[in-house]
Amino acid sequence: MPDERERTDTSVDGREEQAGRRNFLKGALAAGSVAASLAVEGARIPAALAQQPGMVPGTTNHYYVPATDKTVHWGYFSKLLRPLLELNSGDFVTIETLTHHANDDSERMIKGDPGAESVYHWDRQRKGVDRRGAGPMQPTLFGRGAGEGLGVHICTGPIAVRGAEPGDILEVRILDVKPRPCANPQYKGRSFGSNAAAWWGFHYKDLLTEPKPREVITIYEIDASGEQNWARAVYNFRWTPQTDPYGVVHKIIDYPGVPVDHRTVQETHGILKSVRVPIRPHFGVMGLAPSEVDLVDSIPPNYVGGNIDDWRIGKGATMYYPVAVPGGLFSAGDPHAAQGDSELGGTAIECSVTGTFQLNLRKKATLGGTALAGLNYPLLETQDEWVLHGFSYANYLTELGADAQSKIYEKSSIDLAMRDAFRKMRHFLMTTRGLSEDEAISLMSIAVDFGVTQVVDGNWGVHAIMPKNIFG
Amino acid sequence: MPDERERTDTSVDGREEQAGRRNFLKGALAAGSVAASLAVEGARIPAALAQQPGMVPGTTNHYYVPATDKTVHWGYFSKLLRPLLELNSGDFVTIETLTHHANDDSERMIKGDPGAESVYHWDRQRKGVDRRGAGPMQPTLFGRGAGEGLGVHICTGPIAVRGAEPGDILEVRILDVKPRPCANPQYKGRSFGSNAAAWWGFHYKDLLTEPKPREVITIYEIDASGEQNWARAVYNFRWTPQTDPYGVVHKIIDYPGVPVDHRTVQETHGILKSVRVPIRPHFGVMGLAPSEVDLVDSIPPNYVGGNIDDWRIGKGATMYYPVAVPGGLFSAGDPHAAQGDSELGGTAIECSVTGTFQLNLRKKATLGGTALAGLNYPLLETQDEWVLHGFSYANYLTELGADAQSKIYEKSSIDLAMRDAFRKMRHFLMTTRGLSEDEAISLMSIAVDFGVTQVVDGNWGVHAIMPKNIFG
């Protein structure tokens, strides 16, 4: 990431996009029947409830948010975004999320899919979603495009939770995660993802073989039915300069969603033969809008979550986020089919998925004595574990001053993330288990596993895993 | 660890100890029946073989190496140590190992145990094992004691493998790991370990509560029968200045094996109530003698293994080490009952255990096309995984020059260890699986988990875990 970031335009959406967003909301809300206007799925919701036309007080509703050019924000979080929906605590929502790497192979990841096509639309006249990143809309910094690619993830949302206020905790239960089937009849029954070994990867300046440096895209295939729990490589290609429909040449992967012209690249098939990659479908990005800044680059994770890139944030897991702005403003994106701890080369298998969530608001006054007391960082709970996420900077937006959004990329360090993960786990054990500092430190030495979450997101991550069964 | 290390004495053993070691070997070997003079255990050895009096060509023998003042080297590795035994490839050996923290509670970890008592013996006249560490025998550097505590682990060995030469690989299969039962009748049926939150811990300069800084010992109890797979805390105490039998005052834990006078410390019982720590019995230290230097501090891990401190190096695991000196010279020590990835506070549950191993020599000429081809680092194989160990410096003894053994403590870094782990995993995938660099990097991003092994051993560690089932 370039160091000399600045923003000359703090508007969140272009005028057209704002209007579009409002129109979507009007359409959905005008009839007073949000649920009825949205597809409903999920065996977890009683059919009677799921078919409720609108919100019945005291019941839970199940909303559906498709991914379209009107429902996504690309490359940034913002407290200024008007929410798509406002839910009650306890409501369910199914959210489609799209990978921002779909244009690495549009035949397999976009073609025939109206939602993806609307988001990725880009011809000489118009982009489906113009702003991509938290940079200026007029790309005066680097000339890459609107938003300058300072932030890359397609996020669906935000969704507000009624009554959520700073100091509360939003509990997000991930009930289901399903790969998005390829809509191109040629690849029926399959889903596809892209893995980019890119310039922001840990390996990039440390390659052995020529040509150096290089960026390489590997396309993976998974079974859309979910019956096969592994991915396999289809082919790879070396990135070549790509000219986008506005005429800008992208020598490297410096702007999200640039269509790759496959006449300009050499596909190598037959790679990674007989290799089966276990899939771990999850969301690289899930989180709330921070309060500090109007427009926040989606890449560095933060105290309200965001791009944590922990593969454990998948089906069955629950995330807890501190609410920083009214309504919380929850978004999800950066879907992954599989990732290793560290996300070494820069990305996972970036693969569109649809998630079903339950959002529960935990009011500040009710948190005392619970595992959420004093929580000021994103916390993951799985069936067997508590997982805390440390970053090089716990809240870089306040710690690194006015230029925080560029400085964070200069200060990436696992050592610092380990320090933060240690402090958070100590806080967690002392606050929620009532341990003394000495008890907490001993327990961390003998029973907590610290791992490298990612070394590619500016604000690098170390997670700390505490098995629940330690506490009788 | 102090920065200003140097050594004025390169002798490996004091004169008495050398003589003692030779006498042990004479006693064992003179009758021509090593096996007969040693206890034999383990259902894996046919009874007929196990009872062989001595070595029968073409058969496997099972040796037993007790831990005594004559069979251990304390705080260092050395190619100059005369081996206790020379095995044939394929032979079995059961090795007793003692924790160097047993004197934190001698009533529970030493009393009544002849082996431990001989090692820990220390009165005004004599220490059972004088040299503790790779420093000078006359403690002119810091005045701590012989060897200056520049290296702390009690290692049992070394054991030579017949025909092992530099370039070969020694495969060490860990067939069993059993806690050493407490020999004090008062605590029958139990084993004990000590966890020190010490000055070399990651937390030490970052404490919240007073007094700061402080060192804290926590004593844990485990079931010696192995029926209960968890440990529980018994009590803890804050380290107070301890005067050793030679009159040296140890204000901090600066020399291994100093007897703690429990009249000077305050035991706090009732800590970590209802906490059960899952046990993961393993060897913190296992490895071979390096070739670079005569006397090597046992603390920083290295290309020949040593103090890797990965809890996965337990029962059922296999380690592969590059042989650096004739015979290999294998030793084991630093036994642990449980440890978390990172070993945050400085130690694990340090608990004496006995291991049974099979040592297989893999000659250089036979390695081509196997997972061991070109292996120049310690490699762990479990039933399901390959685990590679990266360090801040892969071979600090050569990389950091003449003062390597002090400099390594100034250059600890997880970032560097991550770099090394990445390079090793890339080498492993390219060499042993025939992958291209692009295939290897993609696979590492989506399927290899990188974790923090330890941040307390000078040469910090990151491990990389590759699931075997990825390869059909």
Side-chain angles (χ1 to χ4, degrees), chain B residues 135-199:
Chain B
M137 286 298 284
Q138 294 301 322
T140 48
L141 285 178
F142 311 108
R144 298 168 181 167
E148 289 282 29
L150 300 179
V152 296
H153 310 97
I154 301 174
C155 301
T156 308
I159 292 165
V161 178
R162 188 163 287 122
E165 295 169 296
D168 299 340
I169 299 293
L170 184 64
E171 172 188 317
V172 179
R173 299 177 58 202
I174 307 176
L175 305 175
D176 204 5
V177 183
K178 286 188 174 157
R180 187 178 184 93
C182 176
N184 182 339
Q186 196 179 340
Y187 304 108
K188 194 172 156 62
R190 292 179 255 174
S191 293
F192 294 92
S194 169
N195 170 250
W199 62 267

Side-chain angles (χ1 to χ4, degrees), chain B residues 218-437:
Chain B
T218 307
I219 301 298
Y220 287 86
E221 170 183 317
I222 64 173
D223 167 35
S225 75
E227 286 188 16
Q228 292 171 346
N229 63 354
W230 42 270
R232 68 173 190 87
V234 184
Y235 68 93
N236 69 11
F237 65 87
R238 199 173 300 149
W239 185 271
T240 54
Q242 296 295 319
T243 306
D244 73 32
Y246 286 179
V248 174
V249 178
H250 302 271
K251 289 188 180 171
I252 57 171
I253 305 172
D254 64 1
Y255 193 73
V258 170
V260 171
D261 181 348
H262 277 252
R263 294 167 303 188
T264 72
V265 301
Q266 174 140 14
E267 296 183 5
T268 301
H269 291 253
I271 58 166
L272 288 167
K273 275 183 189 164
S274 77
V275 168
R276 290 181 171 190
V277 178
I279 62 169
R280 300 166 159 179
H282 63 280
F283 297 91
V285 169
M286 269 175 50
L288 308 182
S291 60
E292 288 77 3
V293 184
D294 288 349
L295 266 178
V296 180
D297 179 343
S298 69
I299 294 172
N302 208 335
Y303 70 104
V304 282
N307 189 32
I308 294 177
D309 278 330
D310 184 345
W311 56 264
R312 296 162 189 81
I313 304 178
K315 182 172 177 174
T318 299
M319 285 293 301
Y320 301 92
Y321 303 101
V323 172
V325 300
L329 300 184
F330 175 75
S331 299
D334 190 27
H336 294 166
Q339 188 206 298
D341 281 334
S342 89
E343 203 180 15
L344 187 127
T347 64
I349 296 181
E350 310 279 326
C351 171
S352 299
V353 310
T354 296
T356 296
F357 308 88
Q358 185 183 33
L359 274 56
N360 295 308
L361 182 60
R362 311 284 290 265
K363 294 297 290 179
K364 186 177 184 178
T366 68
L367 303 178
T370 76
L372 307 179
L375 189 72
N376 60 359
Y377 46 80
L379 172 67
L380 167 63
E381 181 180 9
T382 69
Q383 184 171 357
D384 300 323
E385 298 163 342
W386 293 103
V387 184
L388 279 67
H389 295 96
F391 309 118
S392 299
Y393 291 84
N395 183 349
Y396 71 97
L397 292 172
T398 57
E399 291 170 75
L400 299 182
D403 298 327
Q405 295 204 63
S406 56
K407 278 193 180 162
I408 188 63
Y409 289 95
E410 303 162 23
K411 292 175 176 281
S412 310
S413 158
I414 313 172
D415 291 321
L416 288 174
M418 176 72 204
R419 176 71 50 201
D420 187 42
F422 153 60
R423 290 177 179 169
K424 284 171 175 168
M425 183 53 84
R426 176 176 58 185
H427 168 271
F428 181 74
L429 293 172
M430 293 176 71
T431 307
T432 73
R433 296 289 167 176
L435 300 187
S436 70
E437 187 175 27

Side-chain angles (χ1 to χ4, degrees), chain A residues 206 209 272 426 437 439, chain B residues 206 209 272 415 426 437 439:
Chain A
D206 193 13
T209 56
L272 289 167
R426 175 176 58 186
E437 186 174 27
E439 291 174 304
Chain B
D206 194 11
T209 56
L272 288 167
D415 291 321
R426 176 176 58 185
E437 187 175 27
E439 290 174 304

Side-chain angles (χ1 to χ4, degrees), chain A residues 353-381:
Chain A
V353 311
T354 296
T356 296
F357 308 88
Q358 186 183 31
L359 273 56
N360 295 308
L361 181 61
R362 311 284 289 265
K363 293 298 290 180
K364 185 177 184 181
T366 68
L367 303 178
T370 76
L372 306 180
L375 189 72
N376 60 359
Y377 45 82
L379 172 67
L380 167 62
E381 180 180 11

Side-chain angles (χ1 to χ4, degrees), chain A residues 39 47 49 53 59 63 77 93 236 282 337:
Chain A
L49 282 182
T59 64
Y63 298 89
F77 281 85
V93 58
N236 68 11
H282 64 280

